[in-house]
Amino acid sequence: MDPHVVFDCQDVVPNRFALTVAAAARARALIRGAQPRLDLPDAGTTSLALHEIAAGAFRQDELKPFLSGSASPARLPAPNPKSTELRGGASTTAAADPSASPEAVH
């Protein structure tokens, strides 16, 4: 794959993570039988997906889910810095029992 294609893709989808997700989604669609939008017979599905994005072979509404600011993603609440409890009730300050044999520790 030509590494310069990724730079061309970033003009269309500036966020690298979003670009990865968009290219993966398009590659999966190609694998499932979607018609290629470019004629690159020797390109693999991932390479073809990236070339299609770089060439602008998509309408803006098709790329909208991958562009920043298009939707407000759900966010996790900020962690409470005073809390030391982990999932399952364990504490971050808990230590392993030194008398336990190494074989018993999983």
Side-chain angles (χ1 to χ4, degrees):
M1 174 178 62
D2 182 10
H4 297 288
V5 173
V6 176
F7 294 124
D8 294 339
C9 288
Q10 286 184 310
D11 293 337
V12 179
V13 182
N15 182 318
R16 284 187 181 195
F17 177 76
L19 174 60
T20 302
V21 173
R26 181 61 182 156
R28 279 192 301 274
L30 290 167
I31 289 170
R32 292 180 181 148
Q35 292 299 314
R37 295 180 180 191
L38 296 177
D39 186 26
L40 298 174
D42 295 332
T45 55
T46 305
S47 182
L48 180 58
L50 287 170
H51 279 283
E52 289 179 350
I53 293 170
F58 295 95
R59 296 185 315 267
Q60 193 68 17
D61 64 323
E62 292 176 307
L63 289 176
K64 187 176 180 181
F66 305 105
L67 298 175
S68 64
S70 62
S72 60
R75 297 183 184 259
L76 294 173
N80 182 353
K82 294 181 181 179
S83 174
T84 59
E85 191 171 303
L86 299 174
R87 187 181 341 162
S91 173
T92 57
T93 58
D97 181 13
S99 64
S101 67
E103 292 78 27
V105 177
H106 296 284

